[in-house]
Amino acid sequence: MASTPALAVVLDGLSTAGLDTGCRHGVPWYVAHLGSQLVAALADPERSLSTGLADALERVAAKHPECDLGNPGTPSATVAVLRQREGSFDHLVLADSPIVLESRRGFSVITDLRVKEILPELKAEVDRYETNTAEHKEALRRLVLAQRETRNTATGYWVAASGPEAAEHALTGSAPAEDLRAAALLSDGAACLVTDYSMATWSEAFRTLRAGGPRELIDAVRKVEASDPHGQRWPRYKSGDDASVAFCEWG
Ligand SMILES: [Zn+2]
């Protein structure tokens, strides 16, 4: 997660499930560099968010040409960006870290769920087992292995990885500033409180963010997960996934 007065960014590195990535630096290195390149690329308000993302992807790839960037498991991440401009807010979403906008008319959610729609049989297989069992781990490994083959292809789903072309597949848009009251950018490990567990509405989640900030929302997620440690009520890939939230509010 990174932010400047005019920019908020949330990146969520994808799990490698212990499989080879072809990169000796690893996912945290990739995410850190993508974040700093993205902030630098988007400092120019005239540059579109997708052009800035494409630039950042190229720059990160250029930092490790010795790694096998064509490996299907090359480090990858979801991207959510919100940028304030004169009179409006631009947003960009690549994969399933949603941006939630609160306006006078209510909440709107911008997210790309293609990753959740592909490979339903393998996903059902993962959901069949309790988390932290050998069977769950093996089913997850098979799912990730299959996901990697469809990642950044026309029949699969798009994430930030080693090539700039994924930026063209991001969802982008703009909202008039006078309509917006607040916005949240969330990794799926935080959004799941609303989207998967149905333990809060977006209105309740924003109330929590206003009262206690991201920390309190993430605590609420962890509390729910602690009530279901083996993923029986809410089947999931990990007991608790990485959770990050950027909350932005205007007068
Ligand atoms: Zn590398």
Side-chain angles (χ1 to χ4, degrees):
M1 195 181 97
S3 65
T4 71
L7 186 69
V9 176
V10 166
L11 306 175
D12 187 22
L14 269 65
S15 166
T16 64
L19 295 158
D20 171 52
T21 65
C23 169
R24 65 184 177 82
H25 303 91
V27 176
W29 176 94
Y30 173 80
V31 171
H33 281 272
L34 183 60
S36 57
Q37 292 298 331
L38 202 48
V39 170
L42 295 176
D44 172 5
E46 294 310 311
R47 185 177 283 170
S48 76
L49 299 187
S50 49
T51 306
L53 176 58
D55 282 1
L57 288 167
E58 271 180 339
R59 284 170 190 268
V60 176
K63 285 187 180 295
H64 59 152
E66 73 282 13
C67 293
D68 174 15
L69 302 180
N71 186 301
T74 192
S76 53
T78 71
V79 181
V81 182
L82 184 71
R83 180 174 65 180
Q84 184 170 24
R85 289 212 291 162
E86 191 86 37
S88 66
F89 284 88
D90 299 333
H91 47 79
L92 175 148
V93 164
L94 185 57
D96 61 350
S97 290
I99 296 180
V100 184
L101 302 175
E102 182 188 17
S103 73
R104 276 186 296 269
R105 291 180 302 280
F107 293 88
S108 52
V109 182
I110 304 148
T111 187
D112 177 356
L113 298 176
R114 274 174 284 188
V115 65
K116 296 199 184 208
E117 286 155 11
I118 58 161
L119 305 167
E121 299 84 5
L122 288 174
K123 205 160 287 139
E125 186 68 16
V126 178
D127 290 350
R128 195 162 300 147
Y129 302 109
E130 292 185 5
T131 44
N132 305 318
T133 60
E135 292 86 351
H136 183 270
K137 197 175 166 198
E138 176 53 26
L140 184 59
R141 203 187 64 87
R142 280 198 301 272
L143 171 64
V144 172
L145 203 55
Q147 281 177 334
R148 289 163 32 136
E149 297 303 323
T150 68
R151 198 173 284 167
N152 291 355
T153 69
T155 53
Y157 64 103
W158 296 86
V159 292
S162 57
E165 64 283 351
E168 294 166 24
H169 298 273
L171 305 177
T172 57
S174 200
E178 73 258 25
D179 285 354
L180 287 190
R181 285 179 176 166
L185 292 68
L186 311 98
S187 68
D188 66 332
C192 57
L193 183 70
V194 177
T195 56
D196 291 52
Y197 308 156
S198 302
M199 294 301 281
T201 61
W202 284 121
S203 173
E204 289 162 347
F206 272 55
R207 205 175 307 143
T208 301
L209 286 166
R210 282 199 167 91
R215 184 71 265 158
E216 194 156 320
L217 187 75
I218 293 167
D219 285 349
V221 174
R222 297 297 180 233
K223 205 185 241 174
V224 168
E225 288 167 344
S227 75
D228 177 41
H230 306 294
Q232 290 156 317
R233 181 166 175 193
W234 299 290
R236 53 196 191 268
Y237 300 160
K238 298 182 200 171
S239 305
D241 200 357
D242 297 344
S244 48
V245 181
F247 183 59
C248 320
E249 201 180 7
W250 307 277

